[in-house]
Amino acid sequence: MSPDSEQSGVSLPVSGILIAVVSSFINGSTFVLQKKGILRSRDRGGSYLKDVVWWGGTLAMIVGQIGNFLAYNVAPAVIVTPLGALGVLFGAVLASWILKEHLNILGKLGCVLCCCGSVVLIIHAPKAETVTSREQLEERLADPVFVSYALLVVLLLLVLILFVAPAHGSSNIMVYVSICSLLGSFTVPCSKGLGLVAGEVFGADGGRALPLFLFLLCTLAVSILLQFLYINKALQSFSSNVFEAVYYVAFTCSVIVASALLFKEWMALTATHSLALLCALTTVCVGVALLRISQEAEVTWKKKTD
């Protein structure tokens, strides 16, 4: 192997990791900036859509997602994805500085446990089988197990959006977290599918690939817009660092389940990985519970001081 090729083989993963780290920090600032914009607009009595800080957070979200896309194309996903936990930790620090949202010792421990558990979940999640053609993707999308799961997710989303969110969304953080994370079941698979189908759309067989391309694109657009809407609803009622930590965990779990069913990853799951996933999920649940206890203690303390 020549020195040039060897250097190229090393530089690509390193550049992907660097992009992923920068993107994680940018993503960690999005919720904080959007929350700050919401608070500023609330003090002025106007809409947060007119606040420059909120738009700064929205722009940071777009840039961060573009960075993630680039990172996944130059480094393995098993390396890039766990680095998203850095955004959660950075967001907690930034929220403490900008928003004065100070976590107590339980909240800090819960945040760390959520990040550690999520990273272990990602590392031990079974790897996807290779899907290299539109025909294979269409076959996976038509699989009865995945179709049943997708219909169940849609049903849960309708119940949450139409009935649960209007009544309990502003008082229970898990309502908005559940909506956003369940929408992630469609976001990541659609993104992977679009990357596979896009090449055929502009090729000789583009007529057959176009319907699937448009279906995936519309599903992705609706999913992203709804997530964006309910993220901002959550930030109007809850602490940004608590929401970001719980949302990261729930989103990661939802994406792992959806990918496992769509790409039949569960067939490669071993006993060792199953035990590791169970331990990681237990760690995550403990972390979420500590964050909830920390948040409730903070609310109680504010009521007493007021």
Side-chain angles (χ1 to χ4, degrees):
M1 181 181 293
S2 66
D4 291 340
S5 61
E6 185 175 352
Q7 183 179 0
S8 176
V10 174
S11 63
L12 282 180
V14 171
S15 62
I17 292 172
L18 290 176
I19 294 173
V21 170
V22 174
S23 298
S24 296
F25 284 121
I26 294 175
N27 287 327
S29 68
T30 58
F31 292 160
V32 177
L33 294 176
Q34 288 181 329
K35 176 74 172 184
K36 183 65 175 179
I38 290 172
L39 294 176
R40 278 160 45 98
S41 61
R42 186 177 296 170
D43 293 337
R44 295 195 307 264
S47 172
Y48 60 80
L49 295 174
K50 299 179 181 179
D51 188 88
V52 66
V53 177
W54 183 87
W55 279 107
T58 302
L59 180 61
M61 180 181 293
I62 296 172
V63 173
Q65 294 307 313
I66 293 175
N68 285 341
F69 176 79
L70 294 175
Y72 279 115
N73 280 274
V74 294
V78 71
I79 297 176
V80 174
T81 309
L83 294 175
L86 293 175
V88 179
L89 298 176
F90 178 68
V93 173
L94 203 60
S96 176
W97 175 45
I98 295 179
L99 301 175
K100 308 303 179 184
E101 294 179 354
H102 300 290
L103 289 175
N104 58 25
I105 187 64
L106 287 180
K108 293 176 182 177
L109 179 60
C111 188
V112 172
L113 289 177
C114 285
C115 293
C116 293
S118 297
V119 170
V120 175
L121 279 174
I122 295 167
I123 292 175
H124 288 278
K127 306 304 178 287
E129 297 180 359
T130 302
V131 177
T132 58
S133 67
R134 172 179 51 84
E135 289 78 10
Q136 288 179 326
L137 179 61
E138 290 176 343
E139 181 182 353
R140 299 292 174 85
L141 289 173
D143 184 81
V145 176
F146 181 75
V147 171
S148 300
Y149 172 77
L151 291 176
L152 177 61
V153 170
V154 171
L155 179 61
L156 288 174
L157 284 170
L158 289 175
V159 172
L160 287 169
I161 292 174
L162 297 179
F163 302 104
V164 181
H168 305 287
S170 59
S171 59
N172 191 329
I173 192 173
M174 292 308 299
V175 175
Y176 291 140
V177 167
S178 299
I179 292 174
C180 295
S181 59
L182 286 174
L183 288 167
S185 300
F186 301 109
T187 303
V188 175
C190 284
S191 298
K192 293 181 179 179
L194 284 171
L196 179 64
V197 177
E200 295 189 28
V201 171
F202 302 101
D205 198 23
R208 297 184 60 184
L210 185 60
L212 178 60
F213 178 83
L214 293 176
F215 170 75
L216 293 175
L217 184 62
C218 292
T219 304
L220 179 63
V222 172
S223 175
I224 291 176
L225 289 174
L226 286 176
Q227 285 184 69
F228 187 76
L229 172 65
Y230 282 98
I231 284 173
N232 279 277
K233 283 182 176 292
L235 292 177
Q236 294 180 53
S237 304
F238 303 103
S239 164
S240 64
N241 49 22
V242 174
F243 174 77
E244 184 171 7
V246 179
Y247 170 65
Y248 174 76
V249 169
F251 184 87
T252 300
C253 294
S254 179
V255 169
I256 288 175
V257 171
S259 297
L261 293 176
L262 178 59
F263 298 104
K264 297 184 178 180
E265 296 171 342
W266 55 272
M267 298 179 67
L269 193 63
T270 64
T272 302
H273 287 304
S274 299
L275 180 60
L277 290 174
L278 180 61
C279 294
L281 188 60
T282 303
T283 302
V284 163
C285 291
V286 173
V288 172
L290 291 178
L291 280 170
R292 292 295 305 276
I293 294 173
S294 171
Q295 184 185 36
E296 291 175 359
E298 181 71 15
V299 172
T300 304
W301 179 79
K302 285 184 177 180
K303 287 182 178 179
K304 289 182 178 180
T305 54
D306 292 344

